[in-house]
Amino acid sequence: MTQLAHARITAIGSYVPERILTNDDLEKMVDTNDEWIVQRTGIKQRHIAAEDEFTSHLCIQAVEQLQNRYHVALNDVDLIVVATTTPDYSFPTVSCRIQQHFGMEQAGAIDLNATCAGFTYGLHLANGLIAAGLHRKILVVAGETMSKITDYSDRNTCILFGDGAGAVLVERDLEASWFEAFTLGTNGEGGIHVYRSGLAEQMDGTPLIGNGKIVQNGREVFKWAVRTVSSGIEQLLQQAVLSLEDIDWFVPHSANLRMIESICEKSGMPLAKTLQSVQDMGNTSSASIPLALEAAVREGRLKLGDRVMLYGFGGGLTHAGLILRWGISKEI
Ligand code: UT7
């Protein structure tokens, strides 16, 4: 990859709400059981936001952890990119609320919705803008309150989702190259939907299903994801002229543990190299990758210079993968 300047991740933070929803709790709400959920998804529990806790609150907590942990200045951040499919409002955006909270006077602010691939799309943008010399310091945040768009009477979906947020600082680095390959793609036919009340019927006569909550064809999404991510892994390796052995950590979107196992089996990626957040946090959409990365940093597994492949995929259907060298040098 030819670049004018290089982008590097220099800090990370995360946050999950206090309340935990276990499989036992779900057994009391719908016709399901712990054995079915663990066998089909690997999920044991998820964190759920309080009624008065919204996506911007989670994102602000994640940025606060990043700031306190690495003692980084935020006043010279020049762009805030927030990946979310569950913003507090249509506008002001979550990125605007973060800007206001931290008083980042020089920062532009934009939300992007690429569903569960939002974090990897955010890194794609941040890297491109820094490489082109347009920005120097970008905060990429991914946060979701999936519980607010989950129907807790639908056993097909309510067992899957959780809430959380993660944040990274991406800075200009004139010395070394940290981002090594990117791939993006889309199959716009859907597979998983949240219809907005009134609009779907007006637009093309689609009857409102789900009443503003998630509806999906789980089996189809599963099959698409395994097929798409496996070939995306191959493309990334080809682009970076690397082989599977060169990858230290693989961090796919944490939708379902069985899905991660199938992706690893099909692509040849060793399961032992995966970092995931799905068992303890459920599917947190765009937040799942930074949550897995932050836990690996905290546990001392992910180290400066490690080569990491990230792969986001989900509703849309859309996906984005990348290979980077882990750039955080400060211990926590
Ligand atoms: O970020 C991307 C978001 N989307 C996804 O990640 C979805 C990907 N798909 C999946 O994770 C899986 O398709 C699910 C976990 C959602 C479902 O697993 P599955 O193995 O594809 O099950 P299924 O939908 O084919 O359902 C099998 C059976 C059905 O019963 P019958 O028709 O065989 O009698 C379902 O009604 O399991 C039943 N079932 C349940 N049983 C107990 C569905 N949900 C539950 C449940 N508890 N929670």
Side-chain angles (χ1 to χ4, degrees):
M1 220 184 251
T2 314
Q3 295 201 339
L4 302 174
H6 304 294
R8 170 181 183 171
I9 292 179
T10 56
I12 187 165
S14 78
Y15 178 76
V16 285
E18 268 173 40
R19 187 179 154 214
I20 289 175
L21 185 69
T22 64
N23 293 348
D24 287 348
D25 295 331
L26 283 162
E27 274 186 31
K28 295 175 195 119
M29 296 157 69
V30 288
D31 181 14
T32 191
N33 56 74
D34 176 64
E35 194 190 344
W36 192 98
I37 300 172
V38 172
Q39 196 187 46
R40 304 278 177 135
T41 71
I43 300 170
K44 294 180 182 147
Q45 61 170 47
R46 336 88 198 107
H47 291 254
I48 301 293
E51 257 176 48
D52 60 353
E53 198 173 25
F54 292 89
T55 297
S56 64
H57 301 127
L58 274 50
C59 291
I60 286 168
Q61 295 277 355
V63 176
E64 246 160 36
Q65 187 189 66
L66 173 156
Q67 185 184 32
N68 296 336
R69 185 184 263 176
Y70 297 97
H71 307 291
V72 286
L74 295 180
N75 58 347
D76 56 346
V77 164
D78 52 19
L79 184 65
I80 306 160
V81 177
V82 172
T84 185
T85 124
T86 50
D88 308 7
Y89 312 121
S90 290
F91 57 87
T93 57
V94 175
S95 50
C96 285
R97 291 170 73 78
I98 294 173
Q99 184 279 334
Q100 188 205 24
H101 181 89
F102 291 96
M104 290 185 266
E105 289 180 4
Q106 299 180 38
I110 185 171
D111 281 16
L112 71 86
N113 181 351
T115 61
C116 309
F119 181 70
T120 44
Y121 269 91
L123 289 180
H124 183 74
L125 283 182
N127 175 62
L129 291 168
I130 288 173
L134 296 173
H135 288 271
R136 290 179 174 217
K137 199 167 178 181
I138 304 180
L139 198 52
V140 177
V141 189
E144 305 284 4
T145 42
M146 297 304 286
S147 60
K148 313 266 187 215
I149 57 164
T150 298
D151 176 355
Y152 285 97
S153 66
D154 175 11
R155 70 175 183 170
N156 290 294
T157 51
C158 74
I159 55 147
L160 298 172
F161 297 101
D163 302 336
V168 292
L169 198 58
V170 186
E171 293 190 68
R172 186 167 80 149
D173 182 329
L174 295 174
E175 305 290 317
S177 174
W178 299 87
F179 286 83
E180 298 183 324
F182 283 92
T183 184
L184 304 177
T186 306
N187 168 357
E189 72 190 40
I192 170 164
H193 296 91
V194 176
Y195 293 109
R196 284 175 67 188
S197 176
L199 294 188
E201 303 99 308
Q202 268 176 36
M203 210 159 52
D204 55 12
T206 307
L208 177 67
I209 41 173
N211 201 22
K213 309 282 185 190
I214 300 167
V215 283
Q216 70 171 347
N217 183 336
R219 221 148 240 242
E220 287 310 310
V221 175
F222 191 112
K223 283 193 273 182
W224 167 82
V226 173
R227 204 173 51 239
T228 304
V229 178
S230 308
S231 77
I233 290 172
E234 226 173 279
Q235 283 169 32
L236 284 171
L237 292 173
Q238 269 175 21
Q239 198 189 119
V241 198
L242 295 170
S243 64
L244 284 172
E245 292 71 49
D246 299 314
I247 304 296
D248 297 305
W249 299 108
F250 175 51
V251 196
H253 164 46
S254 280
N256 175 329
L257 197 59
R258 295 291 96 80
M259 197 190 271
I260 294 175
E261 287 167 357
S262 299
I263 291 168
C264 286
E265 198 179 317
K266 195 166 164 59
S267 65
M269 180 72 75
L271 190 60
K273 287 188 180 182
T274 57
L275 301 175
Q276 51 83 16
S277 54
V278 74
Q279 283 174 295
D280 294 334
M281 294 172 193
N283 179 345
T284 53
S285 190
S286 68
S288 83
I289 291 178
L291 284 171
L293 289 170
E294 192 279 332
V297 168
R298 203 169 0 99
E299 291 158 8
R301 300 168 79 194
L302 180 54
K303 299 242 161 51
L304 176 69
D306 282 357
R307 189 175 266 123
V308 192
M309 183 187 283
L310 311 183
Y311 218 113
F313 55 86
L317 301 160
T318 193
H319 63 101
L322 61 112
I323 299 175
L324 57 81
R325 304 286 312 221
W326 192 245
I328 302 181
S329 53
K330 289 185 200 161
E331 297 283 329
I332 54 166

